[in-house]
Amino acid sequence: MPEWVVLLRKAIRDSKYIISDHALQRMGQRGITIEDVERCVIEGEVVGKQDHGGDVKWVLRERDEEGEIFFAVVALSRPSPVIVTVMRNRDDFSD
């Protein structure tokens, strides 16, 4: 497992991360909880990378409490990773 994945998951477990206002808004709209997002980052599958703009962002996939698939986009920012957004449909992001 790449070192960045280990460090990212540790940051989530230790609650040393930031959730952007945009992500909070999308979570509310899409019925995705903070617990869902944390589980996604800790246990989910890395399915994409966004490397345009500032920080490198990784896309992870997991199921919510109801079993519905969703995606979380996480920026590997310093000093803390940032949950940038969440989505239900993979077509909503570009690799």
Side-chain angles (χ1 to χ4, degrees):
M1 181 177 310
E3 182 179 359
W4 69 265
V5 174
V6 173
L7 294 173
L8 175 61
R9 290 178 172 170
K10 181 177 180 352
I12 299 301
R13 281 189 199 96
D14 294 345
S15 297
K16 295 187 177 183
Y17 65 95
I18 298 164
I19 300 180
S20 71
D21 290 340
H22 175 78
L24 287 170
Q25 179 183 15
R26 294 295 188 229
M27 289 165 62
Q29 292 171 341
R30 296 171 176 153
I32 298 169
T33 67
I34 290 173
E35 292 80 10
D36 290 332
V37 172
E38 289 176 344
R39 187 176 56 259
C40 181
V41 178
I42 293 169
E43 300 175 7
E45 177 185 2
V46 177
V47 295
K49 178 180 179 183
Q50 297 177 338
D51 195 7
H52 46 83
D55 299 312
V56 174
K57 297 173 193 76
W58 291 93
V59 182
L60 297 103
R61 176 179 59 206
E62 184 57 276
R63 293 186 182 271
D64 64 15
E65 292 177 349
E66 287 77 37
E68 298 291 324
I69 290 176
F70 76 96
F71 301 87
V73 178
V74 183
L76 299 182
S77 303
R78 293 193 186 262
S80 300
V82 177
I83 310 299
V84 176
T85 194
V86 296
M87 62 205 79
R88 292 282 181 189
N89 187 338
R90 186 176 176 138
D91 294 337
D92 291 340
F93 72 87
S94 59
D95 291 333

